[in-house]
Amino acid sequence: MCEVKHSETTERSVRHCNQIPNFVVLSLLLGVAFLIAITTACSAALPSAAVTPAAIPATTVSLSPGTATVASMEQLQFTAHVSGNSRPTLTWSASAGNISNTGVFTAPKVTSTTRVTITATSSTHRAGSDIDVESTQKAVAAVTITPPAPSTFSLTITNSALPEAHANVPYAASLSAVGGVAPYTWSLVGGSLPQGIQLQGASGAIGGTTSKPGSYPVSAQVTDASGKVATAGFSLTVIAASPTLAVTSSFLPAADASVPYSASLSATGGVTPYQWSLVSGSLPLGMQLLSSSGTIKGTTSIAGTFPVSLQVTDASGNHASAAFNLTVSSTTTTGFDGPAELPRTYIQSAMSNTPAPGKTITVNAGGDLQSALNNASCGDTIQLQAGATFVGAFTFPAKNCDESNWVIVRTSSDDSLLPAEGTRMTPCYAGVSSLPARPAFACTSTKNVLAKLVMPVTGSGPIVFAAGANYYRLIGLEVTRGTFAGTAYSLAFMRGAADHLVFDRLWLHGLAQDETGRGIALAGTNIAIVDSFFTDFHCISGTGACSDAQAISGGGGNLPMGPYKITNNFLEGSTENIIFGGAAATMTPADIEIRQNHFFKPLTWMKGQAGYVGAANGNPFTVKNLLELKNAQRVLVEGNILDYSWGGFSQSGFAILLTPKNQAGNNGSNLCPACQVTDVTIRYNLIRHVGAGFQIANALSDNGGAQLDGQRYSIHDVVIDDMDGKHYNGASLFAQLSVSAGAPILQNVTIDHVTAFPSTMVLNIGAMLATSGPMKNLVITNNILSVGTYPVWSTGGGPGNCAYYDRPLTTFNACFSPYTFAGNILIGSSASFPASAWPSQNFFSSNANSVQFVNFSGGSGGDYRLQSSSPFRGKGIDGKDAGADMDAINSATAGVE
């Protein structure tokens, strides 16, 4: 794997290399070649320029555009061009309107054509040995502001009805109109509102509190600035006070350690909507209460009984509470799934876990977001005007906040207009009803309720966390790049060790044909990415400035990393949807939860497909795999759907790679001897439309450097559906298991209850026994697998490879010690590889029909449960049906797509 990392401190790109060597070379005698090619690249560093502080070269400053015409309230980006070798400080001013410290000008509201002057001042300061040296240069630009044209549309009130009110409960509604000429003035011309509720003439807002239930017909009138009038009739219904608020749940169902848990609380009476909170006790680590729905969900590895008191609050401020005991039981308290240790820590990321009790800071269109970030105190909420666009690279500063005082940055839209907490954001909420070749959004509304952050130039941003930034939560934002020529490296970037960040219900995206390297580049600790939507992260093959693109990346650096939570997101990245590793590092990210995400690559990115979309020059985007781990520890991959991976860019269409890797640097150096992939659990996942399944390998760097370790993998209850090497340009093999001479021994790998139908090969195996010795503790049990044309095959390397003879039993005996290969249903065995050529205690079927699946469907989109009449029912060595537990997978992935 080769990727370009962008250094924000040096403002240059450094290319890092980490490709798996050429493992997969199949027997030429049988006419099949599977090659994992290497993309070679070199790290490059540019020397920094020396600065003589005692003198400043002459400088000039100019602006572009120099002149422009814009409409009233429109935004325009100015760029200052400074000559000379100085590093000036730029300040901006405008004779009218507003201009930010990044040069974004918002035109004033005008009623006649107006001329505005924009000034950029370049101030340079150098501390010399004796005196300080200063220089100031200015540049100006002229902008003509045109007033809005009178509307050609008739004035119309757009409301069709007023929402109900409740007696003794604060009420808020708003009338709106279109057409005419703003501003509008509102009034009542018939009927009357109930006592205590008023109409605001300037805004059309209706609000207040009444104690009078009943029905109140009114006629409302709007008058525009030109004197046009429109009226509409409404009836405001006030409902009598509700019955007493009460919690109706009497108990919480028991939980199992290390198994996903979900239970919902219920209440009656009061006035909806309800908000839930924890008032005493604590939930087990890894479980959280969703305040808007009253749902307790999560995964914990801690067994025990947890007494809690939970409170419900209705819309009128009334409270009711109840006490519960949540019992977590487990047959084991070790926190392991087979050989793999599960995460020790799970992040609690609910709104109730991130309180912000301070003041609210409002930033309207054209306002200074950076100043709001700088001036916010711990506990404050920064509200960005919904529908407004904020252009720039905004730094979230370190503030030394704590768990009781978060800083929340969010859209100004009410929570009721966003997806409910725990529900995934879609582009619908930004006014986009569909994206080509992506799953349907099923929009109930396409009103834009998000605030938009845009990176205007090449680099990383618009979200940049300063070193030490902590306790920030982002909600309801669209985060993207501008249409500039060049690469946006990371839309959310961390300059150093950030701590306690929550990315919640965001839409992060690049543009359809440009290069956007990644959505979020993780660095630091206690970071959650939940309920968000990532699209159009890709690098251009051959001619691009970046080589690898991901929705989410992490695993590089020399500071502590993890725990991380990546839950319920739509993740789209061309090269890898998620990667950990692939860069220089001295530490390993640990305790990573990747659950209930939809990994996706649009098939239109594959050249030759109908509707193909690549770069503007026609080159395709670089595509490799869906999930890649090169440096990660204690990872849980559970309940995900992983769609589309194809070969052609150094890999063969694999879905998942577990390939710990040192990183090759300049002059034969190695940059990550501490890199490891250990304790990975992959369970209850659905993989579809891929060229191959798993690549599991311990290999040296291109400079011959060994990684620290790669072992303890538990893979169970996984379906690989529509594995088609021909269509997806892949090897059409289920799993590669290999180790290079000099790399740590691959060991402690369990593959259990998996269903897959490779057409070419079950296992591609390689180890040079003279230098590596056999791999240890391989367990492959209770699976349903097509054996393919070449069932168990060598990765190449001649007689020194333990798999050289290409006979299943011979290979197992030579390559693994000890091993278990039993209870598997093997489909498509032939005279060349009879039952005697395999380890004992397995079952053989000449074709899929004789297995008697509920619906085989050609291995694509089928129901792979066994019929009651199947001769293989209950034949697993654990007494269960072989193959993946389809019911458990369907439950774990419910709502993911």
Side-chain angles (χ1 to χ4, degrees), residues 437-787:
R438 277 76 166 188
F441 299 154
C443 301
T444 57
S445 170
T446 53
K447 181 180 180 181
N448 182 10
V449 297
L450 308 182
K452 187 174 183 179
L453 275 60
V454 178
M455 181 65 179
V457 295
T458 190
S460 287
I463 296 172
V464 180
F465 292 95
N470 64 357
Y471 293 97
Y472 283 100
R473 185 183 194 112
L474 282 64
I475 306 172
L477 306 177
E478 179 184 355
V479 184
T480 187
R481 54 165 288 162
T483 57
F484 57 86
T487 301
Y489 290 95
S490 300
L491 295 185
F493 180 79
M494 298 164 200
R495 291 191 184 277
D499 180 58
H500 283 88
L501 307 178
V502 178
F503 299 87
D504 177 17
R505 286 167 286 174
L506 309 179
W507 179 27
L508 300 98
H509 65 94
L511 303 178
Q513 293 188 290
D514 292 329
E515 287 196 314
T516 308
R518 57 196 53 84
I520 298 176
L522 290 170
T525 55
N526 298 292
I527 300 173
I529 304 168
V530 298
D531 306 327
S532 293
F533 208 91
F534 295 71
T535 53
D536 275 316
F537 294 97
H538 35 62
C539 293
I540 300 168
S541 65
T543 60
C546 66
S547 59
D548 281 28
Q550 306 90 19
I552 300 170
S553 69
N558 55 11
L559 296 170
M561 295 174 280
Y564 297 136
K565 176 180 183 178
I566 305 171
T567 300
N568 193 35
N569 304 286
F570 182 88
L571 302 170
E572 185 177 286
S574 68
T575 317
E576 304 91 8
N577 299 55
I578 295 178
I579 188 171
F580 281 95
T586 59
M587 303 186 76
T588 297
D591 302 314
I592 302 169
E593 179 186 6
I594 303 173
R595 295 183 56 246
Q596 293 188 300
N597 302 285
H598 191 180
F599 293 65
F600 192 85
K601 299 183 197 295
L603 195 57
T604 50
W605 288 354
M606 182 189 289
K607 199 162 189 176
Q609 293 295 306
Y612 166 71
V613 176
N617 64 6
N619 284 16
F621 305 129
T622 306
V623 172
K624 291 183 181 178
N625 56 68
L626 291 156
L627 172 63
E628 182 170 2
L629 301 181
K630 291 185 176 297
N631 188 28
Q633 185 176 29
R634 296 191 299 277
V635 184
L636 174 61
V637 183
E638 178 179 74
N640 302 281
I641 295 177
L642 300 93
D643 280 338
Y644 295 108
S645 181
W646 54 91
F649 298 94
S650 83
Q651 292 178 14
S652 300
F654 286 98
I656 296 177
L657 272 65
L658 305 179
T659 51
K661 194 73 178 293
N662 200 335
Q663 299 300 303
N666 287 334
N667 303 317
S669 63
N670 289 288
L671 308 177
C672 194
C675 279
Q676 62 178 312
V677 177
T678 53
D679 298 291
V680 179
T681 300
I682 300 173
R683 64 188 188 189
Y684 309 118
N685 297 285
L686 174 59
I687 300 171
R688 303 181 298 197
H689 320 304
V690 297
F694 294 90
Q695 186 178 76
I696 303 172
N698 290 351
L700 302 179
S701 76
D702 292 347
N703 289 337
Q707 64 278 75
L708 180 64
D709 205 355
Q711 63 162 307
R712 297 190 299 276
Y713 305 144
S714 177
I715 301 169
H716 67 86
D717 295 292
V718 174
V719 168
I720 305 181
D721 192 56
D722 186 28
M723 187 193 304
D724 187 336
K726 181 177 181 181
H727 185 67
Y728 301 112
N729 192 26
S732 198
L733 67 89
F734 167 59
Q736 176 186 329
L737 299 168
S738 58
V739 57
S740 294
I745 289 294
L746 181 62
Q747 57 187 323
N748 302 311
V749 177
T750 295
I751 301 173
D752 185 51
H753 284 289
V754 173
T755 299
F757 307 105
S759 62
T760 301
M761 192 183 313
V762 176
L763 297 173
N764 189 217
I765 296 176
M768 306 304 287
L769 293 180
T771 52
S772 297
M775 293 173 273
K776 299 177 181 179
N777 299 321
L778 174 71
V779 176
I780 301 179
T781 51
N782 307 314
N783 304 290
I784 300 179
L785 301 167
S786 295
V787 298

Side-chain angles (χ1 to χ4, degrees), residues 261-285:
Y261 178 81
S262 181
S264 294
L265 299 163
S266 59
T268 59
V271 179
T272 59
Y274 300 138
Q275 290 289 316
W276 294 84
S277 58
L278 181 67
V279 293
S280 67
S282 60
L283 294 168
L285 189 64

Side-chain angles (χ1 to χ4, degrees), residues 38-50:
I38 309 304
T39 302
T40 304
C42 301
S43 298
L46 300 178
S48 58

